[in-house]
C-alpha cells in the first residue's frame, strides 16, 4: 500500500469542517480590516528565501525542500509566506498603487522538520502582511487582528508574548552585547552556533540544541530591550500602550526571539496551553528592511502567520464541531415511498438553507436514528404511512426526545422558528 509521506497528512471529515470554519472566520474578519486575499505559487526560486529569511537560519540551513528542476534551476517549496507576498507585490508593482497595502493568504508551507503532534513537514498557515507604514499603530493593529481572530474562532486561554529587537542601531548594539556574553561559552555550543557567533550571533538565540539553550540560561544574558535606541524604545512603548487601550492582554517576554532574520522592532508570538511542546499558535512582527532589501521602496512592513493544524487542535478542545453539526436535520423513512418523498423534502430544506441528510435504502428506525446521532443532527424528521395520511411529518428533537406532528408544508417555517 502506498501511504502519505511522513510529516504530511490527509485532512478528513469531520476535521475538514473545522478547517473550513477557520478559513471562513479568517476571510470574514480580515476583510473587515481591509485585507484582500493574495495567492502565490507554492514553489519559488531558492534565492528568494535565502535572501529574506537569512542564510544562517535553521529554516534555510536545515529545513527547506530545495531541488533542481529539469533545467537545473534551484527551486524551493515555500517554507513561509512573507517573502512570497513581498516578491509578488514587487513583481506586479503593487507598491506603486497605494501607500498602505494589506494582504492575507491561506495555504500549505513546507519545512523539513522532525514531525510530532502539531509539527509537520507540509503544514498550513493563515497569514497577513501590511506594507507601507512605519507606525507602531500598525503593529498594534496587526497584533489585535491576530487576537481578535482567535476570539472569533472561539479560542480562549491564549498568551500573547511580545518583545522588541529595535532598529538597525539597536540590533547592532545588541549583537555586540550578545557576542561578548557568548564568546567565553563558545566551547559549550553546537558547531552551527560556533559558526553563528561570527556570522550571525542572533541566531544562537533560537537554536534548538539543549546545550546551546543551557548556555543562554547563564546569569548576565543580555536582553534585546536593554539595547534599544531611544526611538526604538519609544516605538515599542507606543505599541504596548495601543494594545492596552484596545484591551488586548499581553506579556512582555525579553527572551522572545523569532527564527527568521528579517524582523526589526516588534516581534510577537501567541501560545496556547492545549498544544503542549509545540505551543506557538502563531507569530509575527515588523520587518522594516525587507522590502527595500528585495529591491523595493524603503517602506515598513508588519504581519503574522498562524499554524492551521495547531488552531484545529485547539478548536477540537472547544468542541466547535458540536456547534457546527447542531444545525443538521436527518430525514427518517418508515417505508419505501417515504424514501423518495424524503429526497424531495431534503431538496426543499436545502434550498431553504437547512442542512438535511437522508438515507437511500430502507433501514430500521433504530438504525436511521443512529445515523442521525452520528451526524450530530439536532432534529429528526420522521415520515411513514400515518404521517402521510395526515399530510404531516413527525419532528423529533434529538436532544430531548420530544416529538410533534408538523404539517409538511409548515416544516421549513417551524425549523426556522426553532433555530433549526
Ligand atoms: P513562523 O513563526 O515561522 O512565522 O510560523 C508561523 C506559525 O506557523 C507558527 O507559529 C506555527 O503555528 C506554524 N508552523 C510553523 N512551522 C510549522 C510546522 N512545521 N508544523 C506546523 N505548524 C508550523 C512565519 O512563518 C512568518 N512568515 C510569520 C510572519 C508573517 N511574520 C511577519 N509576517
Amino acid at each position: 500500500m502506498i501511504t502519505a509521506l511522513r510529516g504530511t497528512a490527509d485532512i478528513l471529515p469531520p476535521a475538514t469542517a473545522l478547517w473550513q470554519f477557520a478559513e471562513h472566520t479568517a476571510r470574514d474578519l480580515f476583510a473587515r480590516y481591509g485585507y484582500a486575499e493574495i495567492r502565490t505559487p507554492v514553489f519559488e526560486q531558492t534565492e528568494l528565501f535565502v535572501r529574506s529569511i537569512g542564510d544562517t537560519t535553521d529554516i534555510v540551513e536545515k529545513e527547506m525542500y530545495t531541488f533542481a528542476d529539469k533545467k537545473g534551476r534551484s527551486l524551493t517549496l515555500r517554507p513561509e509566506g512573507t517573502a512570497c507576498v513581498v516578491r509578488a507585490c514587487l513583481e506586479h508593482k503593487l507598491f506603486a498603487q497605494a501607500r498602505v497595502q494589506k494582504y492575507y493568504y491561506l495555504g500549505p508551507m513546507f519545512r523539513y522538520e522532525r514531525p510530532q503532534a502539531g509539527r509537520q513537514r507540509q503544514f498550513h498557515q493563515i497569514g497577513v502582511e501590511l506594507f507601507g507604514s512605519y507606525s507602531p499603530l500598525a503593529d498594534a493593529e496587526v497584533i489585535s487582528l491576530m487576537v481578535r481572530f482567535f476570539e472569533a474562532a472561539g479560542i480562549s486561554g491564549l498568551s500573547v508574548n511580545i518583545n522588541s529587537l529595535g532598529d538597525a542601531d539597536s540590533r547592532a548594539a545588541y549583537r555586540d552585547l550578545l557576542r561578548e556574553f557568548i564568546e567565553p561559552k563558545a566551547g559549550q555550543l553546537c558547531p552551527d552556533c560556533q559558526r553563528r557567533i561570527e556570522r550571525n550571533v542572533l541566531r544562537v538565540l533560537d537554536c534548538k540544541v539543549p546545550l546551546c539553550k543551557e548556555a543562554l540560561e547563564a546569569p548576565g544574558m543580555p536582553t534585546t530591550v536593554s539595547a534599544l535606541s531611544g526611538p526604538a524604545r519609544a516605538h515599542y512603548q507606543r505599541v504596548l500602550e495601543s494594545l492596552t487601550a484596545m484591551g488586548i492582554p499581553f506579556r512582555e517576554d525579553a527572551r522572545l526571539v523569532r527564527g527568521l532574520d528579517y524582523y526589526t522592532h516588534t516581534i510577537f508570538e501567541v501560545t496556547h496551553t492545549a498544544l503542549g511542546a509545540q505551543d506557538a499558535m502563531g507569530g509575527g512582527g515588523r520587518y522594516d528592511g525587507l522590502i527595500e532589501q528585495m529591491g523595493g521602496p524603503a517602506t515598513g512592513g508588519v504581519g503574522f502567520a498562524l499554524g492551521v493544524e495547531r488552531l484545529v487542535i485547539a478548536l477540537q478542545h472547544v468542541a466547535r464541531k458540536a456547534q457546527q453539526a447542531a444545525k443538521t436535520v436527518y430525514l427518517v423513512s418508515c417505508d419505501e415511498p417515504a424514501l423518495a418523498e424524503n429526497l424531495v423534502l431534503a431538496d426543499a430544506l436545502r434550498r431553504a438553507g437547512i442542512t438535511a441528510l437522508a438515507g437511500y435504502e430502507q433501514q430500521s428506525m433504530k438504525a436511521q436514528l443512529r445515523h442521525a446521532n452520528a451526524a450530530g443532527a439536532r432534529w429528526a424528521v420522521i415520515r411513514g404511512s400515518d404521517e402521510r395520511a395526515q399530510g404531516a411529518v413527525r419532528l423529533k428533537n434529538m436532544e430531548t426526545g420530544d416529538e410533534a406532528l408538523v404539517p409538511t408544508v409548515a416544516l421549513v417555517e417551524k425549523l426556522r422558528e426553532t433555530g433549526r
Side-chain angles (χ1 to χ4, degrees), residues 320-336:
R320 175 61 63 171
K321 204 167 43 179
Q323 274 185 28
Q324 292 280 317
K327 295 177 184 163
T328 304
V329 174
Y330 198 93
L331 307 186
V332 175
S333 306
C334 301
D335 55 18
E336 189 69 32

Side-chain angles (χ1 to χ4, degrees), residues 122-134:
Q122 173 172 341
F123 61 99
H124 296 75
Q125 284 187 346
I126 295 179
V128 310
E129 311 296 347
L130 184 159
F131 304 135
S133 173
Y134 290 112

Side-chain angles (χ1 to χ4, degrees), residues 131-158:
F131 304 135
S133 173
Y134 290 112
S135 169
L137 300 183
D139 307 28
E141 191 183 69
V142 164
I143 296 170
S144 72
L145 173 54
M146 190 171 183
V147 171
R148 299 301 181 218
F149 170 77
F150 285 118
E151 282 174 9
I155 308 271
S156 54
L158 289 168

Side-chain angles (χ1 to χ4, degrees), residues 10-196:
D10 299 308
I11 303 155
L12 306 171
T16 32
L18 296 179
W19 281 72
Q20 289 169 0
F21 168 73
E23 290 161 5
H24 179 79
T25 305
R27 290 180 196 285
D28 187 50
L29 184 70
F30 295 172
R32 269 185 268 156
Y33 284 71
Y35 284 80
E37 185 178 359
I38 187 164
R39 301 185 191 195
T40 67
V42 293
F43 58 94
E44 299 265 2
Q45 296 181 39
T46 301
E47 182 69 11
L48 172 66
F49 302 113
V50 176
R51 272 175 48 192
S52 56
I53 300 171
D55 58 357
T56 50
T57 58
D58 268 3
I59 296 181
V60 170
E61 280 192 334
K62 303 176 184 167
E63 297 171 0
M64 293 207 305
Y65 277 91
T66 296
F67 56 96
D69 74 359
K70 291 199 189 304
K71 290 223 165 117
R73 289 172 290 222
S74 179
L75 308 182
T76 293
L77 300 184
R78 64 181 184 194
E80 61 110 46
T82 312
C84 309
V85 178
V86 170
R87 199 255 326 124
C89 288
L90 287 173
E91 189 168 334
H92 301 286
K93 304 194 171 47
L94 300 184
F95 291 110
Q97 290 185 5
R99 206 167 59 80
V100 173
Q101 304 275 328
K102 297 175 177 178
Y103 297 100
Y104 75 85
Y105 49 92
L106 320 165
M109 307 289 161
F110 307 84
R111 296 184 193 175
Y112 193 84
E113 294 194 81
R114 200 164 44 77
Q116 61 184 77
R119 188 163 74 196
Q120 294 186 179
R121 291 178 174 167
Q122 173 172 341
F123 61 99
H124 296 75
Q125 284 187 346
I126 295 179
V128 310
E129 311 296 347
L130 184 159
F131 304 135
S133 173
Y134 290 112
S135 169
L137 300 183
D139 307 28
E141 191 183 69
V142 164
I143 296 170
S144 72
L145 173 54
M146 190 171 183
V147 171
R148 299 301 181 218
F149 170 77
F150 285 118
E151 282 174 9
I155 308 271
S156 54
L158 289 168
S159 171
V160 182
N161 306 307
I162 304 191
N163 194 13
S164 175
L165 301 172
D167 47 25
D169 288 349
S170 323
R171 287 175 55 135
Y174 181 65
R175 240 178 258 128
D176 290 343
L177 286 177
L178 185 61
R179 202 174 287 121
E180 240 168 69
F181 169 81
I182 206 82
E183 248 164 5
K185 301 175 181 56
Q188 272 173 264
L189 304 178
C190 74
D192 281 344
C193 282
Q194 294 189 4
R195 276 188 298 114
R196 286 168 177 156

